[in-house]
Amino acid sequence: MHVAALVHFTVQGFWSLVKTQAQGLLAGGAAVGLTAGSLSKFLLLLGAGLGAVLVGVTIWAVLAYRRFRFRLGVARFDLFRGVVNRERLSLDLERVQTVNLDQPLFFRPFGLFSVSLETAGSSGREVRLPGVSRAFADRLRNRVRAAGGGGDVSRAAVGAAGAAGAAGAAAPIADTGPDAEATADRDATTLLWRARPGHLVRHGLVGGGGWWLLPGLGVAMGWAGERGVRLVLDAADDNAGFRRLLEWLVDQGVWLAGTIAVVASLAAVLVLVVVASVAAALVTLHGYRLVRLGDGFQRRCGLIESRERLVRDAKVQFVRLRQGPLARIMGLRVAEIVQAGGATAHFGSSGAGPLLIPALPAAELTAILCRLDPALAELGERWGRTPRVRSDPVYVLHMTLLWGAIPAAVGGGVAWVAGASLWALLSLAWPVVVAGAAALVRARAGLVVTGEHGAVDSGLIGRRRTLFALHKVQSVVIKQSLLQRRRKLADLVVHLAGRTLTVPFVPLDAAEDAAAWMLYRAETDPRPWL
């Protein structure tokens, strides 16, 4: 590996220390602050502690770099790593789901990348090779594709090229055939879509990437509200015109003033969320390119950290379409191509990470998904126009009683006994809210099963459709409560690799027919699910 990989191990060391010892570090800092006695002594002790941490992490990074080795065979990858506890990881290349290429900011001056390999069922990146060249990454990716049987590189070529193997990032993976591999990739490459800044702004508006700010904005608004009242009172004392405006608002009534304050606060929150969502889209999806590469999709994007990911067709488990209210008005859809297992493309994160296709019109998105599966793309294109198995209206009554009426009765009774009559009256509105939400869920829920494909619809404010091939189904479960037995209804639960789909309160006969057909196709289809 290049010596620049030391930066990766240093960052990894700090990140691991923060994740595992955050409470200890905070407790130590508090203890130093309480016992220091003076600010200068506190800063001196704090600087000494941070210096000790820096030296320790640097020593750990150097040892981790020196003991990090890997060996690539014809069909297996061996990784040796560890500072105190030595670890050896053996990975079958055929089991690899995705090959991700990341280029952090500190690797860009050297033209280096981090390559990560993910397998089904992994909670995070099992193999990550920092500080490797682009040529090395491309050859490793071709080797993985060939081992899975779906790549453009023949097994014979890979076997001949990998006979010598490789030990360490400095050793070549193959001495023969790189030009042929590059030519095969170049001939099989088709640019499907390239995002312009306007596309990313559009995706930020409808993608909802800034809603994670809401809790923080709520806290900030609570603090700002208190400060705002003080500022308003101070301004009224200093400015006669502003004081007359306040007196007019008071004359109009407290409700008008309160309404204006609430509307202004909600508008401010909405603007901040939209701005944050658009900014996140511009940064994370900067330079977005979606390419059809051989038997899969390759995505490349990122401003601060350039990320590249390859998803092979045979490894795809399902495709999820999302459409929020604004996206529906604009006629746009967001798609996510999901594989079993895997990890997100961000450093230190875990969990399955889909390949995102930003907001596009239905026709353009269908043309892209046709490269994966034309029948699956058509099922997604006919979203809202296909006959489907729908949830029974009893679902709304069930949810209203279970999550609306009973909690409202208990909460309202407690509030009434405590003397909070206003909260007791407000609790009467809770069943209405739950009934409305349940009605929206029922209106969007449904199941569509065709000859070889299926789709499950869901959603509350927006709507989602999950598309899957029936041979990808792992199991199907039919569940019934006492109420459902009497009404001959059931919950149909479809288990895919990495996701569970539920269609509530469907007719029992329809659930049994759909389950029987899905299991039949899963058992008789000769194609592997993975």
Side-chain angles (χ1 to χ4, degrees), residues 107-130:
F107 277 165
R108 289 189 183 181
F110 307 98
L112 302 175
F113 292 81
S114 289
V115 182
S116 59
L117 308 179
E118 303 169 1
T119 61
S122 60
S123 60
R125 296 177 170 185
E126 292 193 63
V127 175
R128 187 184 182 101
L129 308 178

Side-chain angles (χ1 to χ4, degrees), residues 40-63:
S40 58
K41 187 176 180 181
F42 170 73
L43 294 177
L44 179 62
L45 293 175
L46 183 62
L50 293 177
V53 170
L54 178 61
V55 171
V57 170
T58 303
I59 294 174
W60 181 91
V62 172
L63 293 177

Side-chain angles (χ1 to χ4, degrees), residues 55-362:
V55 171
V57 170
T58 303
I59 294 174
W60 181 91
V62 172
L63 293 177
Y65 169 77
R66 292 180 60 86
R67 296 182 180 179
F68 189 93
R69 294 290 182 268
F70 59 88
R71 179 174 61 244
L72 181 68
V74 176
R76 179 177 294 275
F77 185 94
D78 295 317
L79 177 65
F80 306 88
R81 61 188 176 188
V83 177
V84 179
N85 298 322
R86 302 303 300 274
E87 177 185 359
R88 174 177 177 176
L89 176 64
S90 296
L91 183 65
D92 288 333
L93 297 182
E94 187 177 2
R95 305 286 185 181
V96 174
Q97 296 294 294
T98 55
V99 180
N100 297 326
L101 270 68
D102 302 338
Q103 192 177 40
L105 196 61
F106 49 81
F107 277 165
R108 289 189 183 181
F110 307 98
L112 302 175
F113 292 81
S114 289
V115 182
S116 59
L117 308 179
E118 303 169 1
T119 61
S122 60
S123 60
R125 296 177 170 185
E126 292 193 63
V127 175
R128 187 184 182 101
L129 308 178
V132 300
S133 65
R134 181 55 189 256
F136 179 93
D138 289 339
R139 292 173 183 173
L140 177 58
R141 182 192 61 195
N142 291 333
R143 181 72 60 81
V144 171
R145 292 170 57 201
D152 298 324
V153 188
S154 67
R155 290 181 180 271
V158 172
I173 291 182
D175 295 327
T176 59
D179 295 336
E181 292 177 3
T183 303
D185 280 344
R186 191 166 51 247
D187 294 341
T189 298
T190 303
L191 179 63
L192 299 179
W193 190 68
R194 174 181 293 169
R196 296 192 295 270
H199 296 144
L200 300 184
V201 172
R202 182 179 66 185
H203 176 75
L205 291 174
V206 304
W211 294 105
W212 55 271
L213 282 175
L214 284 180
L217 288 175
V219 176
M221 286 181 62
W223 175 83
E226 180 184 358
R227 299 286 298 178
V229 170
R230 295 179 181 177
L231 291 175
V232 168
L233 294 177
D234 293 341
D237 293 337
D238 299 336
N239 191 313
F242 188 67
R243 184 168 56 253
R244 286 194 295 269
L245 175 62
L246 289 181
E247 291 174 353
W248 177 82
L249 289 175
V250 172
D251 292 339
Q252 298 300 316
V254 179
W255 287 106
L256 177 60
T259 301
I260 293 176
V262 170
V263 171
S265 300
L266 292 178
V269 169
L270 181 61
V271 169
L272 288 176
V273 167
V274 170
V275 170
S277 182
V278 172
L282 290 172
V283 173
T284 59
L285 300 179
H286 173 77
Y288 184 98
R289 295 177 72 254
L290 184 65
V291 173
R292 184 64 177 175
L293 183 62
D295 65 333
F297 294 94
Q298 184 186 63
R299 179 216 64 191
R300 184 182 301 169
C301 62
L303 177 62
I304 298 176
E305 180 181 7
S306 177
R307 301 183 304 275
E308 182 177 310
R309 184 171 189 181
L310 174 66
V311 174
R312 298 179 54 230
D313 294 350
K315 306 296 185 180
V316 174
Q317 297 302 308
F318 58 91
V319 176
R320 182 168 52 231
L321 305 180
R322 294 189 287 110
Q323 190 176 49
L326 183 58
R328 194 168 184 177
I329 294 174
M330 299 174 64
L332 302 174
R333 298 175 180 179
V334 178
E336 297 173 341
I337 301 177
V338 185
Q339 296 182 273
T344 57
H346 299 285
F347 177 78
S349 59
S350 61
L355 187 150
L356 176 69
I357 301 178
L360 287 175

